[in-house]
Each structure stands twice: as C-alpha cells, then as structure tokens.
Amino acid sequence: MYGLTLTALTAFVVASQALHITVGSTGGNQTSPLQYGIMFEDINHSGDGGIYAELIQNRAFQGSVGFPSNLSAWSPVNGAVLSLRNLSMPVSTALPTSMNVASGASTGQVGFSNAGWWGIDIRVQKYTGSFYVKGDYNGVFVASLQSALTNENFGSVEVQSASTSKGWTQHNYTLTPTKNAPNSNNTFSITFDASKANALDFNLISLFPPTYRNRENGMRADLMEALADLKPSFLRMPGGNNLEGDHIATRWKWNETIGPLVDRPGHRGTWGYQNTDGLGLVKYLNWCTDLNMEPLLAVWAGLSFDAVVPEDELQIYIQDALNELEFIMGSTDTKYGALRASIGYPEPWQIKYLEIGNEDQLYNGSVSYSSYRFPLFFKAIRAAYPNITIIASTVAVVPFNEAGAAGDYHEYTRPDTFVSKFGFFDNYTSEHPVLVGEYAIIQPNDVNERDAVWTGPRNERKRFPWWTGSVSEAVYAIGMERNTDHIIGASYAPLLQNLNSYEWSPDLISFTADQSQDVLSTSYEVIK
C-alpha cells in the first residue's frame, strides 16, 4: 500500500466496512461428522513393540506354525541355562510353552534378562510388573532395570516368592528407578538364589511403564498424546491385512483378544511376526473412548491370503460377526453382553460404522465378495442392526444394489497423481458414500510411472513422508472435503512405524524405545 494516499486509504477502509455477506441457510453439502480419523493394524511393530505399552518382548513365548516359540530377546544371567518346555501343567491352555531357568553349575543370583523392544526407556517413574512361576522356591526374586552397556543398575525391587511345584503362581510388583537412563540401550532382569532353587519355570513376564490415562494393560503415553493432538474423529480397526490372516485359521479372532492376558494365545500376524493380542478388541474400544473417536469396526469376511470360504460354509463366520457386535453393544442379559460385563465392562459401546472385510478385491476375492460374501454379511447385520452404516471393503466390486451400502477406497500413489485427482470424488453420490480408509504418497514423481509401483526398479519407497508428497495429500484431501456429503471420512495409513523393524514406509509417526526419537511426519502436520 505504499502508493496509497491517506484519503484513498480512508475510502478503502470505509468501502470495506460497507461489505455485507449473507450465508444461505439451505443448499450445499451435508458435512460428514467424521472427516479425518486414523487407521490401525499391527504392522511395523506398531502394536507389540509400539503403541501397546508392554516393555517385554516375547513375554509369553507365544508361537505358531509360521513363527514357532523361541527365546528371542531373552538371555541368561550369571551362567543360568534357559530352555523352552511344554509342561503337562502349563500356566494355561492358551500359553502352553514356558521358559525353564536352571542354575547349572552357577551359584549366587542367577536368572534371565530381556532386551525389550530394541531397548527399554528408563525414567524415574513407577513401573508395574508381574510374572508367573512354577517350582519350589523359598526366597526372593530380584527384578531390575539396568544398562546393557555398563550394567549400571537404575532400580531394583525384591519380590517375596510364593512359588511351589504344585502349580503356577503370579507375582506382582512395582519398580521405581532412582535415576533416568542416558539412553534406551537397557535391559530388564529377574534373578533368584541358586542355592534355594536349582530350576524354575517362568511365563507371561510383563513390565509396563505409566500408560495413557493410567489404564491397566494400556497404551504408550507419548504416542497416544501425539494422536490426541490430531483430534481424530474415528478409529478404523483392526484394519488392514492383519485382519484377514495368511490362512483362515490364523485370521484375527476377536474372542481370543479379550479377557485375562493368560488366556490369550496370540496369533500369527501377516507382517512377519507373532502377535501377542495384548492389544485386543476391548483395548481398541478403550482407545476410542480415550481419544473421543468413533469406532469403525472391521469384521472378518471369509477371505484369507490363501483361501475363500465357500458359500455353504460362511454362516458360522457371519454368526461370529454378530456375536462380536453383541459383545460390544449387547445388554448384559445377552450371552455376549454378559461376557463383556464379566471382564469388567457392564456398559456397552456403540458401533455406528462397520466394514465387512478388508480389500476383498485382492487374493481372488472379487467374485465371491460380490456374489455372496458381502450380500450375506450385509443382510444379516442390517437385519440385526438397521442403523449401522455398513461399508464394503472396496469400491471396485461394491454390490451397490444393496440399499445404503458404502464402499472403502484405498489409494497409494505419487504426488502428481494425487493432485490430478482433486476432482476424483465429484461424481460419487451420497446414495453410496465412500470411506477413504487408506491413503498416502509412497513414491516420488517419476516421468515413466504415473501411479505407485509395487515391484521392479522404480518401487523405491521414502523412509519418511516429505513435503512434496504431503502437500499433494492435502490437495487430494481438499477434494474430499468439498464432497463430504458422500465422503464418510479419510485415514492415512499406515499409522505407526518402529524404526528398528518395519515392513512398510513411509508412515505417519515413527518411533523407537526412546521417546525423544519420536518423528511426527510432514503428513502428520498436514492432517493436524
């Protein structure tokens, strides 16, 4: 305004003050109440070793055909001999394999240590621990946190033994370190007096730091706080390929993820490691409660990576989905509502959005999904719960003849492609709304490749989101925002990445055991 005179500037201000804007009370789009949410599956050690706050890796020696029980992350202390055993009297049928700790020729304190999830963050705060033990021992156990490099002890506690050879006994304790560790290269150990016991069996060895909102068996506080800052409107869970399973028998089973940890067998995950299922259905629902999110539940729909359930065998899986919904929403007068109450949750949750399966156009699933799997699930759930918005796991084969069916659209691509799709959703209709359940830029622009490349020389991924990609995601998201009468909401994926072990990049938030190394990505900042 350097060229304006005072008179001209005054006239400009007066004219500006005379401007009146009238906003119409009718017309326009009805905005979705969800808009931006989050999607979670246990990939990149985002659950076990991630947002699930358990510090002990391989705490119960859970195994499967794909990932047999082993002693990964465990080491002997003072010459102890560690071995796995399947006793005739296990701690539970769900956890049949335990660790035998023998003193061998050692004397004094012997035992075992655990490396945590690539380290343990040690601070002056209260840690809550427990373990099961079997064998005659009249002495004390010493639980400690120490440096893996120097063996400096940051804190210990003595736990009086109640262990006998007649059965398994759980021991509980709290441990408060006297100083912060300078880094996360630390271990946890339990030792006992070799002169009072030659060998003992251990299982379900657990240690938790303070959790978000101090929930038992809870969530890692720093990661939850980062998500809370996003103010996400929904949680799509359990989400992704980990729902489907490599095989029908190894799918995610809701009823094996609830109740006491000692009764959870865990399952073979689809991303290269065994899942403990400590982070289970109730934990997902509490996650929604704690961050004020709408639960967007996915149910298994008869498809695994290697098989499709025939039509005449599908009913038991439909009933399983109905049982899950009854567990979540049912009165305590119902069978599964009573089960929910029995594990401490008499008040029900509410499910308003439900997705049938995950990416059912893949693994030769399209024909069966369109012809019978989606319609049969849809009709059974709609009959029992007419107010739930039911979402097909793909828009590629959505049987839109089902009145009110929505579809889930996933897009992983390159920046220019997202920018070109600014108007992509303009021609969708509110009759069959769309969830954008997964989206992200995964590769830079390439003049030879328009869309994402999954194999071959041009499939290189970025380790972290970057600004060009994130801005293009914003352009794409604005295209969704202007169509929110038929866009249910959107969730970036994957959500979390443990930088010590991951299968997919880029991701929204990256982390290690050291909370100071959390990385909130450029895409995180765009969504925020």
Side-chain angles (χ1 to χ4, degrees):
M1 292 192 180
Y2 293 114
L4 286 178
T5 65
L6 179 60
T7 302
L9 180 59
T10 302
F12 175 80
V13 171
V14 171
S16 299
Q17 291 173 340
L19 180 65
H20 296 281
I21 298 175
T22 301
V23 179
S25 60
T26 61
N29 293 341
Q30 180 179 356
T31 300
S32 166
L34 298 187
Q35 297 258 345
Y36 296 105
I38 56 178
M39 173 270 192
F40 180 82
E41 71 172 313
D42 202 331
I43 181 176
N44 304 323
H45 281 285
S46 57
D48 291 326
I51 199 165
Y52 180 53
E54 173 65 79
L55 295 174
I56 304 303
Q57 183 180 169
N58 193 20
R59 66 182 179 187
F61 319 102
Q62 292 157 296
S64 62
V65 173
F67 309 110
S69 297
N70 58 67
L71 286 170
S72 175
W74 297 99
S75 299
V77 172
N78 294 339
V81 178
L82 310 184
S83 61
L84 293 180
R85 301 206 298 178
N86 284 60
L87 303 176
S88 59
M89 183 190 296
V91 69
S92 69
T93 56
L95 303 178
T97 303
S98 53
M99 178 173 67
N100 182 262
V101 184
S103 60
S106 302
T107 59
Q109 291 289 310
V110 298
F112 52 84
S113 67
N114 187 274
W117 297 100
W118 301 281
I120 297 175
D121 193 51
I122 299 177
R123 300 166 185 257
V124 181
Q125 59 188 8
K126 185 172 75 172
Y127 293 78
T128 304
S130 64
F131 57 92
Y132 284 84
V133 61
K134 182 177 182 293
D136 292 323
Y137 178 54
N138 181 21
V140 297
F141 298 100
V142 180
S144 304
L145 287 166
Q146 57 273 318
S147 168
L149 294 175
T150 66
N151 291 322
E152 179 181 0
N153 189 303
F154 298 109
S156 297
V157 64
E158 292 188 348
V159 184
Q160 182 62 48
S161 173
S163 179
T164 74
S165 59
K166 296 180 180 178
W168 289 89
T169 307
Q170 186 179 30
H171 294 67
N172 299 279
Y173 62 92
T174 60
L175 192 167
T176 302
T178 57
K179 61 183 293 189
N180 295 336
N183 54 57
S184 60
N185 194 2
N186 306 303
T187 63
F188 167 78
S189 67
I190 293 178
T191 61
F192 59 92
D193 188 344
S195 68
K196 297 182 178 181
N198 291 326
L200 298 170
D201 292 292
F202 292 83
N203 210 337
L204 193 53
I205 304 151
S206 176
L207 185 70
F208 277 84
T211 61
Y212 189 73
R213 297 199 174 181
N214 295 314
R215 285 195 181 271
E216 184 179 355
N217 186 47
M219 308 289 261
R220 182 168 151 170
D222 60 314
L223 297 179
M224 286 289 282
E225 288 164 0
L227 293 176
D229 286 345
L230 286 178
K231 297 180 174 59
S233 57
F234 68 88
L235 173 64
R236 177 174 171 248
M237 47 86 179
N241 299 132
N242 215 28
L243 171 69
E244 296 160 311
D246 292 328
H247 313 287
I248 292 174
T250 61
R251 69 192 185 279
W252 188 83
K253 302 173 186 176
W254 70 270
N255 57 314
E256 294 185 357
T257 73
I258 61 175
L261 297 179
V262 74
D263 294 327
R264 303 188 196 185
H267 79 283
R268 173 180 172 173
T270 56
W271 291 103
Y273 53 90
Q274 185 81 6
N275 291 173
T276 69
D277 289 332
L279 178 55
L281 177 60
V282 168
K283 192 55 57 185
Y284 287 130
L285 295 166
N286 283 336
W287 189 353
C288 291
T289 298
D290 289 346
L291 296 191
N292 194 29
M293 300 182 293
E294 197 71 52
L296 197 160
L297 179 70
V299 297
W300 193 75
L303 173 72
S304 66
F305 290 1
D306 69 341
V308 174
V309 175
E311 183 172 1
D312 61 356
E313 298 176 15
L314 194 63
Q315 186 56 44
I316 60 172
Y317 302 106
I318 295 173
Q319 186 59 52
D320 188 58
L322 293 172
N323 294 345
E324 183 177 5
L325 288 168
E326 183 177 283
F327 173 84
I328 296 169
M329 296 191 289
S331 160
T332 54
D333 294 333
T334 64
K335 176 180 178 179
Y336 291 99
L339 175 61
R340 182 192 68 244
S342 74
I343 61 173
Y345 295 92
E347 294 300 319
W349 291 276
Q350 294 301 316
I351 298 296
K352 298 178 182 177
Y353 300 88
L354 181 138
E355 184 166 355
I356 298 174
N358 173 75
E359 295 183 338
D360 281 80
Q361 77 276 18
L362 302 180
Y363 313 112
N364 298 314
S366 294
V367 173
S368 62
Y369 193 69
S370 293
S371 62
Y372 67 86
R373 289 194 293 117
F374 180 81
L376 290 177
F377 271 92
F378 182 94
K379 289 172 184 175
I381 294 169
R382 175 55 55 86
Y385 301 95
N387 295 322
I388 289 180
T389 296
I390 300 176
I391 304 168
S393 69
T394 173
V395 296
V397 293
V398 169
F400 274 164
N401 58 318
E402 302 292 353
D408 187 359
Y409 180 78
H410 296 177
E411 181 77 89
Y412 295 102
T413 190
R414 300 175 186 268
D416 281 354
T417 303
F418 260 171
V419 172
S420 73
K421 288 189 172 185
F422 173 74
F424 181 77
F425 295 104
D426 292 355
N427 295 321
Y428 280 80
T429 69
S430 56
E431 181 183 4
H432 297 291
V434 175
L435 170 73
V436 184
E438 299 178 27
Y439 75 92
I441 295 296
I442 61 172
Q443 293 161 344
N445 286 320
D446 186 326
V447 295
N448 297 299
E449 300 290 350
R450 181 68 176 177
D451 295 320
V453 174
W454 301 99
T455 59
R458 295 191 177 95
N459 72 337
E460 181 180 354
R461 302 283 191 87
K462 288 284 191 177
R463 190 183 189 199
F464 301 106
W466 71 107
W467 273 120
T468 298
S470 300
V471 170
S472 73
E473 291 165 0
V475 174
Y476 185 67
I478 294 169
M480 289 187 276
E481 283 189 8
R482 69 177 188 162
N483 288 290
T484 52
D485 58 328
H486 50 266
I487 300 295
I488 294 172
S491 48
Y492 182 103
L495 182 64
L496 297 167
Q497 172 193 31
N498 189 317
L499 291 171
N500 290 288
S501 179
Y502 58 90
E503 300 76 43
W504 182 293
S505 67
D507 304 275
L508 197 66
I509 299 173
S510 302
F511 61 90
T512 68
D514 185 345
Q515 296 182 27
S516 68
Q517 295 182 4
D518 292 353
V519 178
L520 306 181
S521 69
T522 53
S523 294
Y524 172 96
E525 299 298 342
V526 165
I527 294 169
K528 183 178 179 181

